């Protein structure tokens, strides 16, 4: 049986404050740190009663890692592993959406397991980093790859801390405001074919987070997966 998936957007970071997208891999703002407390109280109240979380996955960026470490410290202290995965990074190649070198992150966040991060990190603009390019084909492909791997894991519930555009355009069609979350089950796989790559995984959201998210901070609007992503083929 596939695990339940808790998708979380990072709390407010410095580039969200004044829309300064020139900041490289920005950290959380003061408000963002405060939002992590709200996130923690809301989600931890469901554990273990509604959710039995056995793994935390993070985009390898400062704001997502900080959000996870602050909001889910009690789980990490109890031994729930926290693993970084490049597939959960944000869509664009703007400076604010481009990660820091792994050596830097490993020094700053020794609690996180970075061993599974794609060695091309943080490249998303050259041929080597084409899997992370800012185009529809690449984003939908890595979204499906990330979901496929989690669907096959043995944990009962997994928390993923990622980014708004990737969560909305690449995976769910749902809006996520800073620090808000939505809970999903793996509903079905459509498509068919001989290889897993030909199967498209869908998510079914829990009724409790369906409208405005778990914290009630997000928009209710639903968009098609892939909405407004630039066309282009992954190289």
């Amino acid at each position: 049986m596939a695990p339940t998936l808790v998708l979380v957007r990072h709390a407010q970071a410095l580039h969200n404050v004044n829309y300064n997208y020139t900041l490289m891999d920005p950290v959380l703002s003061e408000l963002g740190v405060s939002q992590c407390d709200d996130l923690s109280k809301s989600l931890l109240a469901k554990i273990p009663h509604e959710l039995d979380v056995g793994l935390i996955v993070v985009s390898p960026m400062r704001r997502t890692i900080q959000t996870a470490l602050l909001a889910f410290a009690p789980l990490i202290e109890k031994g729930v592993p926290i693993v970084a995965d490049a597939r959960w990074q944000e869509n664009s190649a703007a400076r604010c959406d481009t990660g820091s070198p792994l050596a830097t992150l490993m020094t700053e966040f020794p609690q996180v397991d970075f061993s599974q991060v794609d060695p091309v990190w943080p490249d998303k603009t050259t041929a080597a980093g084409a899997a992370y390019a800012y185009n529809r084909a690449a984003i939908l492909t890595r979204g499906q790859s990330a979901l496929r791997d989690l669907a096959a894991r043995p944990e009962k519930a997994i928390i993923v801390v990622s980014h708004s555009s990737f969560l909305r355009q690449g995976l769910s069609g749902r809006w996520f405001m800073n620090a808000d979350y939505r809970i999903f089950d793996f509903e079905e796989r459509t498509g068919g074919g001989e290889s897993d790559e030909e199967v498209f995984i869908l998510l079914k959201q829990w009724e409790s987070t369906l409208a405005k998210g778990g914290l009630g901070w997000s928009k209710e609007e639903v968009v098609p997966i892939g909405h407004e992503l630039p066309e282009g083929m992954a190289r």
Side-chain angles (χ1 to χ4, degrees):
M1 183 175 179
T4 295
L5 192 58
V6 184
L7 298 181
V8 182
R9 182 189 177 186
H10 62 82
Q12 186 193 71
L14 293 179
H15 72 297
N16 300 132
V17 178
N18 295 311
Y19 305 102
N20 183 357
Y21 302 132
T22 65
L23 297 174
M24 179 67 77
D25 195 10
V27 298
L28 294 183
S29 66
E30 185 176 344
L31 174 59
V33 172
S34 174
Q35 289 173 336
C36 289
D37 187 52
D38 293 321
L39 170 61
S40 180
K41 289 175 181 176
S42 180
L43 257 184
L44 293 185
K46 302 179 184 299
I47 302 170
H49 311 293
E50 300 176 56
L51 298 167
D52 185 3
V53 176
L55 178 68
I56 300 168
V57 179
V58 292
S59 160
M61 302 195 73
R62 289 188 173 105
R63 58 189 183 269
T64 44
I65 296 171
Q66 286 181 310
T67 298
L69 293 177
L70 289 171
F72 309 125
L75 297 180
I76 298 168
E77 290 168 2
K78 290 180 180 179
V80 175
I82 176 168
V83 177
D85 186 333
R87 290 174 295 185
W88 292 93
Q89 66 183 291
E90 185 57 295
N91 293 346
S92 86
R95 287 177 59 83
C96 64
D97 293 333
T98 300
S100 302
L102 275 183
T104 300
L105 295 174
M106 292 172 69
T107 299
E108 293 181 5
F109 306 107
Q111 311 96 313
V112 179
D113 178 359
F114 292 97
S115 64
Q116 299 178 41
V117 176
D118 191 330
V120 304
W121 174 268
D123 179 17
K124 57 170 78 176
T125 58
T126 73
Y132 307 98
Y134 183 39
N135 65 60
R136 179 186 175 92
I139 291 167
L140 295 186
T141 297
R142 70 176 166 97
Q144 284 294 296
S145 173
L147 290 180
R148 190 177 301 116
D149 280 1
L150 293 190
R153 290 196 61 91
E155 292 85 6
K156 293 181 180 179
I158 298 171
I159 294 173
V160 180
V161 185
S162 185
H163 307 265
S164 61
S165 294
F166 181 62
L167 293 176
R168 179 177 70 259
Q169 297 173 303
L171 296 175
S172 71
R174 297 284 181 167
W175 287 84
F176 290 75
M177 296 299 105
N178 287 125
D180 210 352
Y181 66 92
R182 296 179 184 272
I183 305 175
F184 300 86
D185 290 317
F186 290 91
E187 182 183 29
E188 59 179 298
R189 304 179 185 200
T190 64
E194 296 182 357
S195 69
D196 284 346
E197 285 71 23
E198 296 173 340
V199 173
F200 198 86
I201 298 178
L202 300 177
L203 298 172
K204 181 179 181 180
Q205 189 171 180
W206 282 23
E207 187 70 29
S208 61
T209 67
L210 192 57
K212 295 185 177 181
L215 289 171
W217 295 349
S218 299
K219 297 180 183 179
E220 294 188 55
E221 178 187 354
V222 181
V223 300
I225 295 173
H227 181 64
E228 295 184 340
L229 288 175
E231 293 295 337
M233 296 302 294
R235 286 172 287 181

